[in-house]
Amino acid sequence: MIQRTSVAFGAVLLLAAALAVAAETAPSVRDGVRSYRQAHEREILAELTGLLALPNVATRVADVERNADHLTRMLERRGFQVRRLSAGEGTPPSLYGELTVPGAKRTLMFYAHYDGQPVDQKGWLSDPFKPVLRTGPLGAPGKGNDPKDVDLTSVTGPLDPEWRIYARSASDDKSPIVAILTALDALKAGGRKPSVNVKLFLEGEEEQGSAHLPEILRRNAPLLAADAWLLCDGPVQPTRKMQVFFGARGVAGLELTTYGPLRPLHSGHYGNWAPNPAVALAHLIASLRDEEGHILIPGFYDDVRPLTAAEKSAVAAMPAVEAKLEDDLALGRTEGNGARLEDRLMDPALNIRGLRAAEVGEGAANAIPTEAQVSIDFRLVPDQTPQKVKEKVEAFLRAKGWTLVAEAPDRETLRAHPKVARLAWSLDYAASRTDMSLPVSRAVVAAVERATGEPAVQVPMLGGSVPMALFTDRLKAPMIGVPMVNHDNNQHGINENLRLQNLWDGIEIYAELMADLGSLLEK
């Protein structure tokens, strides 16, 4: 009996050794995809810049429709069956693409969005919808070290991976779409088919809060079934290491206006007597949060779901980035009494994203303004909801003596109440965190690490907000983030950009996920 066991054990060892040798000698997915990319860099770049040249501001539905037409052609060239999904006439469309793979037992859904933020901010070095390739990131203002424009017609040989494409949506979020499609091209050229059925969901209004997404998901739930969703939005870790994130903070927005006299008043003749709405607003803001970012609204943290032990360990293991960021951003202090950035991103936040009250500088007048306005975004964590946050904020303001209105107040309302504030809410979506220990979670991490050749940074929850909760709540499938763009991409701001090496890395990672995730899940 002992002898038979020894023989059987030896056979297992021999089989394992043979498999290991085969794995070492077989060409890897990464090598094949990289060879394809190196041979087709200019074509890849041309497809991306052609997509970036289409204006895509989320509030302009006609432009979003033109992007959808262009993307449909891109998907159909790869063999996708494409459907346009909407919540009704005149709403921004989402695109659904399906590529069925014979023999595949699992289905993987990739999510990205193709709409973009507004472009009317001052400071763009070039037209945001005329993509420009430059030799690197922008330098510090006034230092004279800005990158040079690159004329591809005069360039021979491989493209420098540190070069960057400047355009709206270069990083957020058109480049992942091109990376996914190029990954499929590379697999096909190498004679390798995906191990999963591949589906795409490309949203057309993510940048204006995904207002119609719940209805689209409700109407098309069976069509959108998948074993897992991969969200290809967001940046890599600031150390340039690839990260996998398992959730994202939710978001709610608030526009709040305070009121003073019906007309501007001379500050000498009426100052210290007529209430100044800017001063009232400053006191209101100071009552909402302290200087370290702690939110002062009673009960605000009551619904916060604590991190699990595994999630705490993952956060603790993330590379330190604070010192470099403080230097890059010229920060003399940070909020949170010295806490790490990643620890702070696991908490709710109240951000003042804009203030307005009359004019400053050359336009300033010695007058008491008639109104003042603040724009606020709340970043939420599980199990907070936008509706609960709204209720707690409004109860707090009423307790402070504010009369809250939804429309601009008339004369009678202003006369009847000492403090009037107009509130306009945007209740976007809640936070989400997928279990990091799920088999699909472990399989995605393994595939990313196989593609990069190094450990992936595992993040329980992204600091930014993406509509993960809408998908996980309605479709009951896990959603995991696999971003690819550079962390210093200026997304949502002027001179948005994409580092070429991040595009190349994304192609390899998405190819690995499609090629091997099916077998990893079976194991």
Side-chain angles (χ1 to χ4, degrees), residues 369-437:
T370 60
E371 62 182 53
Q373 185 175 5
V374 61
S375 184
I376 299 173
D377 66 83
F378 294 89
R379 301 292 168 161
L380 315 179
V381 303
D383 292 305
Q384 294 179 310
T385 66
Q387 180 62 35
K388 285 184 179 179
V389 166
K390 174 179 181 289
E391 292 168 2
K392 290 179 179 180
V393 170
E394 292 187 353
F396 174 71
L397 293 176
R398 289 191 180 99
K400 290 285 186 178
W402 288 92
T403 296
L404 308 182
V405 297
E407 303 294 337
D410 56 22
R411 177 189 184 90
E412 288 68 28
T413 300
L414 294 174
R415 285 283 293 136
H417 304 284
K419 296 194 298 185
V420 176
R422 177 185 179 186
L423 275 61
W425 286 93
S426 173
L427 304 179
D428 298 319
Y429 37 79
S432 174
R433 281 206 305 263
T434 293
D435 186 347
M436 298 173 65
S437 67

Side-chain angles (χ1 to χ4, degrees), residues 272-397:
N272 293 343
W273 182 78
N276 187 314
V279 173
L281 184 60
H283 285 290
L284 186 156
I285 293 170
S287 72
L288 294 176
R289 51 159 283 175
D290 66 19
E291 292 185 353
E292 300 303 324
H294 182 77
I295 297 169
L296 303 174
I297 299 166
F300 194 89
Y301 295 91
D302 288 353
D303 299 322
V304 171
R305 183 199 308 167
L307 296 176
T308 65
E311 290 168 341
K312 289 179 180 178
S313 296
V315 172
M318 293 178 67
V321 298
E322 290 75 21
K324 186 175 188 308
L325 284 175
E326 288 169 19
D327 185 60
D328 289 347
L329 303 174
L331 297 178
R333 66 176 291 268
T334 58
E335 295 178 354
N337 294 309
R340 296 177 68 223
L341 170 62
E342 293 303 333
D343 289 324
R344 298 293 285 157
L345 298 184
M346 299 301 112
D347 294 332
L350 188 164
N351 173 59
I352 304 302
R353 58 191 180 189
L355 287 166
R356 178 181 298 163
E359 300 295 333
V360 298
E362 293 182 358
N366 293 333
I368 299 170
T370 60
E371 62 182 53
Q373 185 175 5
V374 61
S375 184
I376 299 173
D377 66 83
F378 294 89
R379 301 292 168 161
L380 315 179
V381 303
D383 292 305
Q384 294 179 310
T385 66
Q387 180 62 35
K388 285 184 179 179
V389 166
K390 174 179 181 289
E391 292 168 2
K392 290 179 179 180
V393 170
E394 292 187 353
F396 174 71
L397 293 176

Side-chain angles (χ1 to χ4, degrees), residues 169-515:
S169 298
S171 61
D172 186 20
D173 190 32
K174 287 182 173 179
S175 57
I177 300 173
V178 172
I180 293 165
L181 298 181
T182 303
L184 281 168
D185 295 341
L187 291 175
K188 182 178 181 180
R192 183 158 186 168
K193 67 178 184 179
S195 65
V196 292
N197 298 311
V198 178
K199 292 183 176 182
L200 298 181
F201 185 90
L202 307 180
E203 190 186 352
E205 66 169 350
E206 193 271 348
E207 295 294 10
Q208 60 168 326
S210 302
H212 298 96
L213 182 57
E215 178 62 16
I216 290 174
L217 299 183
R218 187 192 67 80
R219 293 184 181 190
N220 301 281
L223 185 70
L224 301 176
D227 290 283
W229 283 63
L230 294 186
L231 191 146
C232 306
D233 193 3
V236 302
Q237 223 256 344
T239 58
R240 288 189 171 180
K241 293 181 181 293
M242 291 297 161
Q243 66 180 1
V244 177
F245 62 88
F246 298 90
R249 291 195 291 189
V251 64
L254 172 62
E255 300 292 325
L256 188 152
T257 306
T258 57
Y259 296 90
L262 281 181
R263 63 178 184 276
L265 297 176
H266 190 291
S267 60
H269 297 324
Y270 295 95
N272 293 343
W273 182 78
N276 187 314
V279 173
L281 184 60
H283 285 290
L284 186 156
I285 293 170
S287 72
L288 294 176
R289 51 159 283 175
D290 66 19
E291 292 185 353
E292 300 303 324
H294 182 77
I295 297 169
L296 303 174
I297 299 166
F300 194 89
Y301 295 91
D302 288 353
D303 299 322
V304 171
R305 183 199 308 167
L307 296 176
T308 65
E311 290 168 341
K312 289 179 180 178
S313 296
V315 172
M318 293 178 67
V321 298
E322 290 75 21
K324 186 175 188 308
L325 284 175
E326 288 169 19
D327 185 60
D328 289 347
L329 303 174
L331 297 178
R333 66 176 291 268
T334 58
E335 295 178 354
N337 294 309
R340 296 177 68 223
L341 170 62
E342 293 303 333
D343 289 324
R344 298 293 285 157
L345 298 184
M346 299 301 112
D347 294 332
L350 188 164
N351 173 59
I352 304 302
R353 58 191 180 189
L355 287 166
R356 178 181 298 163
E359 300 295 333
V360 298
E362 293 182 358
N366 293 333
I368 299 170
T370 60
E371 62 182 53
Q373 185 175 5
V374 61
S375 184
I376 299 173
D377 66 83
F378 294 89
R379 301 292 168 161
L380 315 179
V381 303
D383 292 305
Q384 294 179 310
T385 66
Q387 180 62 35
K388 285 184 179 179
V389 166
K390 174 179 181 289
E391 292 168 2
K392 290 179 179 180
V393 170
E394 292 187 353
F396 174 71
L397 293 176
R398 289 191 180 99
K400 290 285 186 178
W402 288 92
T403 296
L404 308 182
V405 297
E407 303 294 337
D410 56 22
R411 177 189 184 90
E412 288 68 28
T413 300
L414 294 174
R415 285 283 293 136
H417 304 284
K419 296 194 298 185
V420 176
R422 177 185 179 186
L423 275 61
W425 286 93
S426 173
L427 304 179
D428 298 319
Y429 37 79
S432 174
R433 281 206 305 263
T434 293
D435 186 347
M436 298 173 65
S437 67
L438 293 176
V440 69
S441 300
R442 298 197 301 270
V444 168
V445 171
V448 171
E449 292 180 342
R450 186 178 292 182
T452 61
E454 62 180 12
V457 178
Q458 299 183 50
V459 185
M461 186 169 61
L462 196 69
S465 299
V466 287
M468 296 179 81
L470 296 179
F471 294 96
T472 56
D473 290 349
R474 286 165 173 77
L475 303 178
K476 308 305 179 186
M479 192 174 208
I480 300 166
V482 186
M484 50 157 272
V485 304
N486 42 299
H487 77 281
D488 55 349
N489 58 48
N490 290 0
Q491 70 182 96
H492 292 195
I494 61 173
N495 303 309
E496 181 179 349
N497 65 85
L498 171 73
R499 175 174 166 261
L500 288 187
Q501 186 59 54
N502 286 77
L503 177 59
W504 308 151
D505 291 342
I507 294 168
E508 294 178 8
I509 289 170
Y510 298 150
E512 188 76 55
L513 284 162
M514 287 186 274

